Amino acid sequence: MMDLQESIFFLCFVIISAAADPLKTLRASVGGSITLPDAVKEEGFLLYGGKILAQVEEKKLFKIYGENYKERLHWNQNTGCFTLTRLQESDSGIYTVGSKEGRRASVEYKLIVYVIISAAADPLKTLTASVGGNITLPDAVKEEGFLLYERNNLALVDEKKQFKIHEENYKERLHWNQNTGRFTLTRLQKSDSGIYTVDSKEGRRASVEYKLIVYDSVATPTVSVLNRSSESCSLSCSVDSAQEDTTLLWSYNQEILKKKRSAASLSLTLFYWQDLDSPLQCVAENPAENKTVSVDVRTVCPLNHRGNPSSSTISRHHLILIIIIPMVCSIIFILCVSAVWRFRRQQDSSAGQTGRIHQNQHLLSENISHQEPSESGNPILTSVYYKPAFNSLQNFNMNLQLKTEKHRQS
């Protein structure tokens, strides 16, 4: 508890403040935070509703007297400003900042804490943009309302249509169009990603939330020839470095031929029979943007024998027939000649054998008929042995020998 002297001081302090500066209005939303612009750098007080809420002593000791503010009220020793976090609707009221250094006057602020009611029917909407670009939030605040980032008050449009930005990082980048009522954030950074809430107070109490995702800007791809042969040509679509959210793809007449995510290069092989009279597209893209390079195949990788698959297949069939048919005919001719030659050889061999048999039979008969008789009056018989050239004559020779022996005995 303060002593009587301090109570008198605060009473006089409030009376002096009433005649000093006009009441300033601050607006914030439940769950957000608010920083009071006036500062206490060495010694002073923060009042709420005419009652002391916090004190900064001459040794820069910060004391909080309100139990409900113990974990929510902060004093920045460098700037001297008070900040109230995790705002509640009951925090609305008159706050007085009194500093003892140099003057005895104080500054009063009327804080209005709004309850933001999100539209239950509207789901979270996702917006995408690239680093360095701009984004305009579709929902508008035309008369009075707020823009919040992660539930913290980022900007305010008051009843006089005055636009106020509370965060230093957004001072030169956040804009409000008085005609359309829309907020635009420029020179985007990756740290700008997050949940933005547009809360308009005219006609309704509902708010709209947007999830903003800021991606790195996509690099322009380059096309190069990897290799070229008589039948194919390989091209490469590449960027300087692979990014997690970047996809490379080849497309032709708006049809995707090949694609790959998080890659630095993507190759594509072209065959000469493909019909590629229209340009190919080498594309690098992410959810926020895309960059395309068109490729004239006839210039980058000329196709000397352009056609379609069916004509190429027919040509190959003709070539196969031209080679195979003469080979088959040659083989058939050789087989026929060989068969005729063998047949004639067998005929000549059989004719020779038959002639020799007849000759032997004739000689044998003449030899028997002209044989001179012996002294006894009997003819002299002589055994004639004939060695046949072939096994087929053995039977004939055996029969001839038996007849000669019988004739001798008789």
Side-chain angles (χ1 to χ4, degrees):
M1 295 295 292
M2 295 177 294
D3 55 20
L4 180 60
Q5 183 178 359
E6 288 180 332
S7 299
I8 295 173
F9 168 76
F10 287 122
L11 180 60
C12 295
F13 198 79
V14 172
I15 294 174
I16 294 173
S17 67
D21 297 323
L23 188 67
K24 299 179 180 180
T25 301
L26 301 176
R27 291 175 174 84
S29 58
V30 171
S33 60
I34 189 71
T35 297
L36 304 179
D38 210 56
V40 174
K41 292 188 176 181
E42 295 182 3
E43 186 178 1
F45 304 90
L46 174 64
L47 307 179
Y48 172 65
K51 298 180 179 180
I52 186 169
L53 183 60
Q55 176 184 2
V56 179
E57 297 181 349
E58 51 188 41
K59 292 183 179 181
K60 295 188 177 182
L61 295 176
F62 181 53
K63 296 181 180 180
I64 300 175
Y65 297 104
E67 190 65 29
N68 186 33
Y69 294 88
K70 289 287 186 181
E71 303 295 330
R72 300 191 299 121
L73 182 60
H74 309 277
W75 175 69
N76 189 312
Q77 191 171 355
N78 295 323
T79 63
C81 294
F82 297 98
T83 299
L84 185 56
T85 62
R86 301 201 301 274
L87 287 170
Q88 305 168 4
E89 191 175 10
S90 58
D91 292 331
S92 299
I94 305 300
Y95 290 82
T96 305
V97 178
S99 176
K100 290 185 178 181
E101 56 266 19
R103 61 187 178 87
R104 303 283 294 182
S106 63
V107 180
E108 288 189 341
Y109 298 95
K110 181 181 179 181
L111 175 62
I112 301 175
V113 180
Y114 292 94
V115 177
I116 295 179
I117 304 175
S118 298
D122 296 334
L124 186 66
K125 301 177 181 180
T126 301
L127 303 175
T128 59
S130 299
V131 171
N134 305 329
I135 190 71
T136 297
L137 303 180
D139 211 58
V141 174
K142 291 187 176 181
E143 295 181 4
E144 184 180 4
F146 302 89
L147 175 63
L148 291 84
Y149 173 67
E150 299 293 348
R151 293 287 181 178
N152 292 319
N153 196 10
L154 183 60
L156 162 71
V157 178
D158 62 18
E159 68 275 4
K160 296 180 181 180
K161 292 189 176 182
Q162 293 180 346
F163 180 52
K164 299 177 182 179
I165 301 173
H166 300 298
E167 295 293 333
E168 192 67 29
N169 184 36
Y170 292 87
K171 289 288 186 181
E172 303 296 328
R173 302 191 300 122
L174 183 60
H175 309 277
W176 175 68
N177 188 311
Q178 190 170 357
N179 295 324
T180 64
R182 290 174 177 167
F183 299 98
T184 299
L185 185 57
T186 62
R187 303 199 303 272
L188 286 169
Q189 307 166 4
K190 290 203 73 173
S191 58
D192 292 331
S193 298
I195 306 298
Y196 289 81
T197 306
V198 178
D199 182 35
S200 178
K201 298 305 176 186
E202 59 266 20
R204 60 184 178 88
R205 300 279 293 180
S207 63
V208 180
E209 290 187 339
Y210 299 95
K211 181 180 180 181
L212 175 63
I213 304 176
V214 181
Y215 295 93
D216 288 321
S217 183
V218 174
T220 302
T222 58
V223 176
S224 59
V225 179
L226 295 179
N227 56 68
R228 184 186 294 118
S229 68
S230 60
E231 295 183 353
S232 65
C233 183
S234 294
L235 303 177
S236 174
C237 175
S238 60
V239 291
D240 292 337
S241 61
Q243 297 180 0
E244 182 180 358
D245 300 309
T246 300
T247 298
L248 292 177
L249 62 89
W250 283 102
S251 67
Y252 177 69
N253 287 342
Q254 298 182 347
E255 178 182 357
I256 296 177
L257 304 177
K258 194 176 182 180
K259 66 186 298 184
K260 192 174 183 181
R261 182 182 172 89
S262 305
S265 64
L266 179 65
S267 62
L268 179 69
T269 300
L270 305 176
F271 294 95
Y272 287 178
W273 51 262
Q274 289 180 303
D275 184 12
L276 295 177
D277 292 329
S278 300
L280 284 173
Q281 283 79 40
C282 163
V283 184
E285 65 177 11
N286 64 20
E289 65 174 344
N290 68 76
K291 293 183 179 178
T292 302
V293 174
S294 294
V295 182
D296 186 353
V297 180
R298 292 168 292 185
T299 302
V300 176
C301 189
L303 304 180
N304 298 325
H305 303 286
R306 303 175 66 82
N308 53 48
S310 59
S311 63
S312 177
T313 303
I314 295 173
S315 300
R316 287 196 296 270
H317 289 170
H318 286 169
L319 181 61
I320 292 172
L321 292 176
I322 291 172
I323 295 174
I324 291 179
I325 290 177
M327 292 179 62
V328 172
C329 293
S330 299
I331 293 172
I332 294 174
F333 177 77
I334 292 172
L335 292 175
C336 291
V337 172
S338 176
V340 171
W341 179 80
R342 292 179 63 185
F343 178 74
R344 288 183 176 178
R345 184 178 178 184
Q346 289 177 358
Q347 282 184 339
D348 293 342
S349 177
S350 299
Q353 291 175 9
T354 305
R356 283 194 294 271
I357 292 171
H358 290 165
Q359 183 178 6
N360 290 336
Q361 288 176 347
H362 178 70
L363 290 175
L364 182 59
S365 62
E366 286 183 353
N367 189 17
I368 296 173
S369 62
H370 292 88
Q371 185 71 34
E372 296 181 356
S374 62
E375 293 179 355
S376 59
N378 296 327
I380 300 173
L381 299 178
T382 305
S383 296
V384 178
Y385 297 94
Y386 172 74
K387 187 177 181 180
F390 301 95
N391 293 332
S392 61
L393 301 178
Q394 289 181 355
N395 293 333
F396 171 77
N397 292 331
M398 291 179 65
N399 292 332
L400 183 60
Q401 185 178 3
L402 290 174
K403 289 180 180 180
T404 304
E405 292 292 335
K406 288 181 181 181
H407 181 73
R408 182 182 297 175
Q409 291 175 1
S410 61

